[in-house]
Amino acid sequence: MQYGPEFHTPITDRAAGVVLLNAAGDILLVRERGVTAQPGKAGLWHLPSGTVEPGENPQDTAVREAWEEAGVRVRLLKFLAAYLGHFPDGTPVLRHAWLAEAQTGSTYQPQFGHEVTEVRFVSHPEFLALYDAGLIRMHHTRLFYEDALRETGHT
Amino acid sequence: MQYGPEFHTPITDRAAGVVLLNAAGDILLVRERGVTAQPGKAGLWHLPSGTVEPGENPQDTAVREAWEEAGVRVRLLKFLAAYLGHFPDGTPVLRHAWLAEAQTGSTYQPQFGHEVTEVRFVSHPEFLALYDAGLIRMHHTRLFYEDALRETGHT
């Protein structure tokens, strides 16, 4: 039998970002300013990441967002995962992340200062403390971080 | 607010494969033998692809399956997409594909001859005719092919 279009579930909302680790296994995170439209984000930490624009390849989104949100020119080293989630209203969202390394030209200063207030490396223990305190915006960020630690031999 | 684990939808069934195009934009497909456990596959064409094993990175799955099913040593050029689908019983499945190119050492002979009977390039018009005849196993294969043609400037 053929798995035709009736076996396909389109996901309109997609996001993509990067996991950038330093030699110690710390992860680069950005802190959300919390724009008027999304006040619930304010002060929370997350991956340099953002919405996949219509027609955009998620891999290109990840590279673009690393620059816009974290001021990092990245080279993607490896795909990590695509995780399915949903928003409070039930809308599904597919989030992709890549393991990445910084290239020449990185400033570690957000280009979109209206979205991000801070960019810095966070150690794994600090990450877990932030997570427990509800300050990591996405559970998916934790999953991606664990994937990256495994891929790089830190765990 | 934090999007905690309650906003994560685990997908246990995942698959990954490669889209390998020649200069004319033809796509490399494999033809399923249809093993006893899955007789519905017999004679259908699909991407060199297969199941993501527990703990395996989908990117590694894609490379492995290209060799096992199509005898191609691939270098992955770019992520294409991850598409969500489901099986007839409703179980969700996430399928990933990468644009790839063949490397030295490719034989274009299936290593797993008990799964695949034939490996060959199929032109876009022939692909569409096979699709309409119900001989392309996955609608997702069509989506991945279209993504690859776009990424490579064929459309």
Side-chain angles (χ1 to χ4, degrees):
Chain A
M1 63 166 286
Q2 185 178 40
Y3 285 99
E6 70 276 21
F7 290 98
H8 171 54
T9 309
I11 306 287
T12 306
D13 287 61
R14 296 184 300 163
V18 297
V19 177
L20 203 151
L21 304 184
N22 64 17
D26 307 336
I27 185 172
L28 191 75
L29 296 181
V30 300
R31 194 170 197 188
E32 292 276 6
R33 185 177 293 280
V35 291
T36 310
Q38 297 177 299
K41 280 184 173 182
L44 301 196
W45 294 90
H46 78 159
L47 287 187
S49 58
T51 301
V52 178
E53 302 295 340
E56 189 177 36
N57 182 315
Q59 178 176 323
D60 297 330
T61 307
V63 172
R64 177 175 60 72
E65 293 282 349
W67 175 246
E68 292 177 356
E69 292 204 337
V72 180
R73 299 289 190 193
V74 290
R75 187 170 78 91
L76 303 184
L77 300 172
K78 192 164 189 179
F79 178 76
L80 289 171
Y83 290 120
L84 185 65
H86 58 275
F87 295 112
D89 70 358
T91 305
V93 54
L94 190 63
R95 298 193 181 96
H96 316 64
W98 278 263
L99 185 66
E101 67 178 10
Q103 303 281 94
T104 308
S106 299
T107 65
Y108 296 90
Q109 298 296 322
Q111 302 304 303
F112 284 16
H114 57 289
E115 290 182 4
V116 170
T117 59
E118 200 178 341
V119 178
R120 72 175 173 89
F121 281 96
V122 170
S123 73
H124 195 211
E126 186 185 358
F127 180 93
L128 295 176
L130 286 168
Y131 182 89
D132 289 343
L135 293 173
I136 299 295
R137 181 156 168 76
M138 306 278 178
H139 177 67
H140 285 161
T141 299
R142 181 170 178 169
L143 299 182
F144 288 132
Y145 189 10
E146 289 165 0
D147 290 336
L149 289 172
R150 212 165 30 239
E151 283 287 351
T152 54
H154 281 93
T155 54
Chain B
M1 64 167 283
Q2 186 177 40
Y3 285 99
E6 69 276 21
F7 290 98
H8 171 54
T9 309
I11 305 288
T12 306
D13 288 60
R14 297 184 301 163
V18 298
V19 177
L20 205 151
L21 303 184
N22 65 16
D26 306 337
I27 185 172
L28 191 74
L29 295 181
V30 300
R31 194 171 197 186
E32 293 275 4
R33 185 175 295 278
V35 293
T36 310
Q38 298 178 297
K41 281 184 174 181
L44 301 197
W45 294 89
H46 78 160
L47 288 187
S49 59
T51 301
V52 178
E53 302 295 340
E56 190 177 36
N57 182 314
Q59 177 175 323
D60 297 330
T61 306
V63 172
R64 177 175 60 71
E65 292 282 348
W67 174 247
E68 291 176 356
E69 292 203 337
V72 180
R73 300 286 190 194
V74 290
R75 185 169 80 90
L76 303 184
L77 300 173
K78 192 164 188 179
F79 178 76
L80 288 171
Y83 289 121
L84 185 65
H86 58 275
F87 294 111
D89 70 359
T91 305
V93 54
L94 189 64
R95 299 193 181 96
H96 315 64
W98 278 263
L99 185 67
E101 66 178 10
Q103 302 280 93
T104 308
S106 299
T107 65
Y108 296 89
Q109 298 296 321
Q111 302 303 303
F112 284 15
H114 56 288
E115 290 183 4
V116 170
T117 58
E118 199 176 344
V119 178
R120 72 175 172 89
F121 282 96
V122 170
S123 73
H124 194 211
E126 186 185 358
F127 181 92
L128 295 176
L130 286 168
Y131 181 90
D132 289 342
L135 293 173
I136 299 294
R137 181 153 167 78
M138 306 280 178
H139 177 66
H140 285 161
T141 299
R142 180 169 178 171
L143 299 183
F144 288 132
Y145 189 10
E146 289 165 0
D147 290 336
L149 289 172
R150 213 164 28 237
E151 283 287 352
T152 54
H154 280 93
T155 56

